Amino acid sequence: MNKTQLIDKIAAGAGLTKVDAKKALEATVNAIKDALKEGDKVQLIGFGTFSVNERPAREGINPRSKEKITIAAKKVAKFKAGAELEKAL
């Protein structure tokens, strides 16, 4: 499912226009993104939890030259499915 199809489903399920559904989806995504940038986690009971994990710097190997390289530390987004979502799958 792509973004357009998701907007169509939201519009049909909530009785909204596609324009309103798109605004709602974008506002939701932006709110989650802003919370993660601030280091908060977003917990949607029954759906799941979005959080930020920090990956430490580590050594890797360049597959082409076989040289050792340093991979920088970084923050990554993480999603853990809730119990109701896991049951639905």
Side-chain angles (χ1 to χ4, degrees):
M1 175 180 292
N2 63 30
K3 186 175 179 180
T4 304
Q5 293 168 331
L6 181 58
I7 290 169
D8 291 343
K9 287 255 190 193
I10 292 169
L16 300 171
T17 65
K18 289 182 183 180
V19 172
D20 289 339
K22 182 178 180 182
K23 287 179 185 177
L25 177 61
E26 288 176 353
T28 303
V29 170
N30 287 334
I32 292 170
K33 195 183 310 182
D34 290 343
L36 293 177
K37 282 182 186 176
E38 294 174 9
D40 294 337
K41 69 178 180 179
V42 179
Q43 188 174 13
L44 304 172
I45 304 298
F47 182 70
T49 303
F50 295 91
S51 61
V52 176
N53 274 6
E54 293 190 27
R55 288 193 180 158
R58 58 191 171 94
E59 276 195 7
I61 297 176
N62 181 334
R64 183 173 294 179
S65 65
K66 306 296 184 208
E67 286 181 28
K68 287 188 176 185
I69 57 172
T70 301
I71 300 170
K74 67 178 182 176
K75 294 181 180 181
V76 294
K78 177 183 170 185
F79 176 76
K80 183 173 189 279
E84 288 181 33
L85 179 59
E86 285 184 351
K87 278 185 182 178
L89 300 178

